[in-house]
Amino acid sequence: MWRAWNPRGSNPRPPRRQAAPRHSSAAAAALLCLGAACLLGGRGFEPRHRLLGAAELRRYRGAPGDPGLYLALLGRVFDVQSGRRHYGPGGAYSALAGRDATRAFATGDFSESGLVDDVSALSPQELLSIQGWLSFYREHYEPVGKLVGRFYDENGAPTEALREAEAAIEEALKFQAESEQRKQQFPPCNSEWSSAKGTRFWCSTESGGVSRGWAGVPRRLYRPGSRGSGCVCVRSTGPPWGHPPSSQHSDRGDLDDPHLQEYEGCPPLAEQCVLPG
């Protein structure tokens, strides 16, 4: 069964991949610090070194007579008693209690086949979702220990499966940081369509959700590995992105980037472009 996924209740959601304010290189570095070294590895997660087996964890589902209410995420076990109305018996997310259902945190699949800890086939975006959930639980709930199984061995040491998951999340975070930086360089255009006038693209100092001191001009951007193109706003003055002002650079901003193409029939330096049809 698939469900709308928000077991945080009234708690704030971790950051999503939304249109963001301007990022500096320092912010990009901070984003990368959310990776395995800062959030996922055993370096920062040593909650009393308690080790639980799967059978023991199943006893912690919050039913009368149970010793508590726990859930596990990527092998980390958390005490979620304070969220009993969500995770306890009868709660919307009680299926998560007493087990490691990491995959369901990313997919929202609450069927028995979805309530598992296998993350090997998840997409980068789904892995980032898991990273966000792990950050959330570490902030709002008490860590208890580690679950012996897929992610930790009987001595509490990380397994190869955990190292692979951490590496995949690290790569997803790097890709996200690169995408955010790319978005600052080439913010998406505003666009609208009507049957009478066709499609209009235009640039402003806020288009694409990126606040900046320039509007730019519309261009097609062809991304490596992608078949299609999208409209982006491109700086038309100053040095190329990432370069200081210099007489060696023409005063054309990023207009000479090889992945860009002008819209046919549109003035090269116009801030808007109308495509009929």
Side-chain angles (χ1 to χ4, degrees):
M1 177 178 180
W2 295 80
R3 302 190 184 186
W5 179 221
N6 183 17
R8 299 177 181 86
S10 59
N11 287 321
R13 298 177 65 86
R16 292 291 183 183
R17 271 31 83 176
Q18 299 174 349
R22 194 169 190 167
H23 289 268
S24 64
S25 58
L31 180 62
L32 289 178
C33 190
L34 294 177
C38 296
L39 285 178
L40 297 175
R43 284 76 69 189
F45 190 89
E46 299 297 338
R48 297 180 299 214
H49 300 278
R50 181 179 175 186
L51 300 178
L52 295 86
E56 182 180 4
L57 182 59
R58 282 194 293 271
R59 298 174 54 225
Y60 288 80
R61 304 198 64 176
D66 285 358
L69 181 58
Y70 295 170
L71 63 74
L73 180 62
L74 272 183
R76 285 76 162 174
V77 182
F78 295 91
D79 185 336
V80 293
Q81 180 63 38
S82 61
R84 183 178 182 83
R85 68 188 182 96
H86 304 298
Y87 304 106
Y93 304 103
S94 59
L96 298 173
R99 68 169 89 196
D100 187 329
T102 298
R103 187 178 184 85
F105 282 87
T107 65
D109 182 359
F110 276 46
S111 67
E112 280 304 308
S113 62
L115 290 164
V116 295
D117 57 2
D118 182 9
V119 299
S120 59
L122 295 182
S123 69
Q125 194 66 26
E126 288 170 327
L127 290 169
L128 288 176
S129 178
I130 290 173
Q131 177 267 326
W133 280 108
L134 183 59
S135 178
F136 168 82
Y137 281 104
R138 292 187 65 177
E139 180 180 354
H140 293 281
Y141 293 101
E142 182 70 21
V144 173
K146 301 172 182 177
L147 176 63
V148 176
R150 183 182 296 273
F151 300 115
Y152 291 98
D153 66 20
E154 62 275 8
N155 297 314
T159 64
E160 184 62 25
L162 179 59
R163 287 189 287 269
E164 289 176 358
E166 290 178 345
I169 292 174
E170 189 84 29
E171 283 301 309
L173 285 163
K174 289 179 181 178
F175 179 78
Q176 181 192 33
E178 291 169 359
S179 297
E180 288 294 334
Q181 183 176 1
R182 193 71 166 172
K183 184 177 179 181
Q184 303 307 309
Q185 181 182 6
F186 296 127
C189 303
N190 296 313
S191 65
E192 64 180 7
W193 177 89
S194 72
S195 58
K197 297 181 179 180
T199 302
R200 180 170 77 100
F201 298 111
W202 75 99
C203 295
S204 70
T205 57
E206 297 286 339
S207 57
V210 179
S211 298
R212 55 194 188 275
W214 50 274
V217 297
R219 289 290 188 275
R220 293 184 187 273
L221 175 63
Y222 292 88
R223 303 182 188 278
S226 176
R227 297 181 179 179
S229 65
C231 182
V232 296
C233 296
V234 181
R235 286 187 308 112
S236 57
T237 60
W241 178 268
H243 293 270
S246 170
S247 59
Q248 298 179 2
H249 302 300
S250 60
D251 187 27
R252 287 175 51 82
D254 291 310
L255 290 177
D256 297 321
D257 188 288
H259 298 115
L260 297 172
Q261 184 180 73
E262 294 182 13
Y263 281 98
E264 186 176 353
C266 295
L269 297 180
E271 291 185 358
Q272 72 169 352
C273 180
V274 178
L275 303 179

